[in-house]
Amino acid sequence: MQLKLNTRKLDDGIVVVDCAGRIVFGEETSELRDRVKGLLSEGSRVVLNLGEVSYIDSGGLGTLVALFDVYDTEEEAIQSFRKGVAA
């Protein structure tokens, strides 16, 4: 299965990118990197939901490691942004 990306914006402006399929070197990592870079350049706070990802190769892992902090759940990632705003 190829990588499918769905972007949704929460009420407080956090953007969640739902990823489904495989994150592998090539078109998939390029598409993911471009989507995330675009969101970050707009000043968005971005959470990647990898719950539906079935496989990540080394190229995909490298893309993820270069961009994000990692949390166990989507809710923990969202809360990490909210803690920064409340402080």
Side-chain angles (χ1 to χ4, degrees):
M1 172 197 262
Q2 290 185 335
L3 182 63
K4 294 179 183 176
L5 302 175
N6 180 51
T7 303
R8 54 191 165 96
K9 193 169 191 175
L10 304 181
D11 292 338
D12 56 1
I14 295 170
V15 177
V16 178
V17 180
D18 295 304
C19 304
R22 299 164 47 95
I23 301 177
V24 296
F25 182 76
E27 289 181 35
E28 286 84 359
T29 54
S30 294
E31 181 181 356
L32 178 59
R33 184 174 43 251
D34 292 346
R35 177 82 58 99
V36 171
K37 281 185 175 183
L39 291 167
L40 293 175
S41 71
E42 296 169 358
S44 297
R45 297 172 293 162
V46 179
V47 173
L48 275 185
N49 177 358
L50 304 177
E52 296 298 320
V53 172
S54 59
Y55 178 79
I56 303 174
D57 73 359
S58 60
L61 185 60
T63 298
L64 296 176
V65 170
L67 295 169
F68 294 100
D69 294 326
V70 178
Y71 297 88
D72 289 333
T73 67
E74 177 182 325
E75 185 59 30
E76 286 178 17
I78 291 167
Q79 289 302 321
S80 75
F81 286 126
R82 291 182 176 148
K83 287 178 187 173
V85 171

